Amino acid sequence: EAQVTQNPRYLITVTGKKLTVTCSQNMNHEYMSWYRQDPGLGLRQIYYSMNVEVTDKGDVPEGYKVSRKEKRNFPLILESPSPNQTSLYFCASSAAGINQPQHFGDGTRLSIL
Amino acid sequence: GENVEQHPSTLSVQEGDSAVIKCTYSDSASNYFPWYKQELGKGPQLIIDIRSNVGEKKDQRIAVTLNKTAKHFSLHITETQPEDSAVYFCAAANDYKLSFGAGTTVTVRA
């Protein structure tokens, strides 16, 4: 089954404790991205990757890091999480770029205390 | 940058009636307009999309219209059913950026 898999689905942690949210897709997609969803703001792009070893900032990249060492994986790293990063996070992939249908994971709800 | 506005923020309709959600965008370079449906606890799922060289597209009970001159596009759901209850997002993309509206919570009353 074609899918985007995120882990963990839920996480409660404390300020400053480094965390990684993993994302993996099995569709051989070139393009991957991370979004955060906050009430009344829709989805805002954090980082994206056009291909392996190619990453770039989205609209709200501050406080986040990503890497794309393999085509299928695109982890999101919060080096020193803060409460304003409490949000619902989605990973997405598409065959080739931003103006193609995006396939989303089921989300990761992060709470930073 | 691109700014996508979506209205209404909530919409309640009687089962069998139609639902219409409207979006406007600001960037004339936007050329791809997808609509996503998000059910509780799930990620957004593409339900229909339209490109800037097309004015209207239909898929069973769902249709989307695009007015490039006015920079607005709309989602129409006919003969609504309880399973249509969800949050719907419009989005606009140019070649390098995808911007989402704030979402519309649709409730279909039985």
Side-chain angles (χ1 to χ4, degrees):
Chain A
E1 180 190 352
Q3 59 186 4
V4 177
T5 303
Q6 296 179 225
N7 281 296
R9 293 291 314 279
Y10 305 91
L11 180 63
I12 301 173
T13 187
V14 296
T15 300
K17 186 176 181 182
K18 181 180 177 180
L19 67 92
T20 299
V21 184
T22 63
C23 173
S24 181
Q25 50 93 6
N26 63 359
M27 296 168 278
N28 201 35
H29 282 172
E30 303 277 334
Y31 184 93
M32 298 186 73
S33 59
W34 277 102
Y35 294 84
R36 61 178 288 174
Q37 183 178 9
D38 300 290
L41 296 178
L43 292 100
R44 294 179 292 166
Q45 192 180 58
I46 303 170
Y47 267 95
Y48 64 94
S49 170
M50 298 290 290
N51 211 327
V52 176
E53 301 293 0
V54 179
T55 63
D56 211 342
K57 296 177 181 178
D59 295 320
V60 288
E62 294 78 19
Y64 304 95
K65 283 176 56 177
V66 293
S67 68
R68 187 92 181 272
K69 294 187 172 66
E70 306 164 281
K71 196 172 189 179
R72 64 182 292 127
N73 295 324
F74 190 46
L76 179 70
I77 303 156
L78 284 71
E79 293 267 5
S80 183
S82 62
N84 64 9
Q85 293 177 298
T86 292
S87 188
L88 180 58
Y89 292 84
F90 289 100
C91 180
S93 72
S94 73
I98 197 66
N99 53 6
Q100 300 289 329
Q102 303 293 309
H103 298 257
F104 285 85
D106 283 337
T108 296
R109 186 166 291 282
L110 287 184
S111 294
I112 316 294
L113 305 177
Chain B
E2 175 69 277
N3 181 40
V4 178
E5 294 193 357
Q6 182 172 347
H7 299 280
S9 57
T10 61
L11 181 59
S12 180
V13 297
Q14 190 70 36
E15 183 177 356
D17 287 351
S18 295
V20 180
I21 303 170
K22 298 182 179 182
C23 290
T24 61
Y25 63 99
S26 59
D27 185 359
S28 57
S30 290
N31 53 28
Y32 175 63
F33 305 90
W35 287 87
Y36 288 87
K37 176 183 180 182
Q38 185 178 20
E39 297 175 338
L40 202 61
K42 297 286 188 181
Q45 186 171 18
L46 181 77
I47 54 171
I48 195 166
D49 57 7
I50 191 168
R51 298 198 180 270
S52 57
N53 58 349
V54 176
E56 184 173 354
K57 185 177 178 180
K58 189 174 181 180
D59 182 4
Q60 299 182 348
R61 297 186 296 109
I62 294 173
V64 59
T65 59
L66 172 66
N67 183 327
K68 283 173 53 181
T69 303
K71 294 197 185 73
H72 66 69
F73 56 114
S74 301
L75 178 73
H76 304 251
I77 306 173
T78 59
E79 300 172 18
T80 53
Q81 300 168 5
E83 53 264 37
D84 294 328
S85 295
V87 180
Y88 292 81
F89 291 97
C90 65
N94 53 27
D95 290 341
Y96 60 91
K97 183 174 166 63
L98 178 66
S99 299
F100 285 85
T104 298
T105 301
V106 173
T107 302
V108 179
R109 305 187 307 272

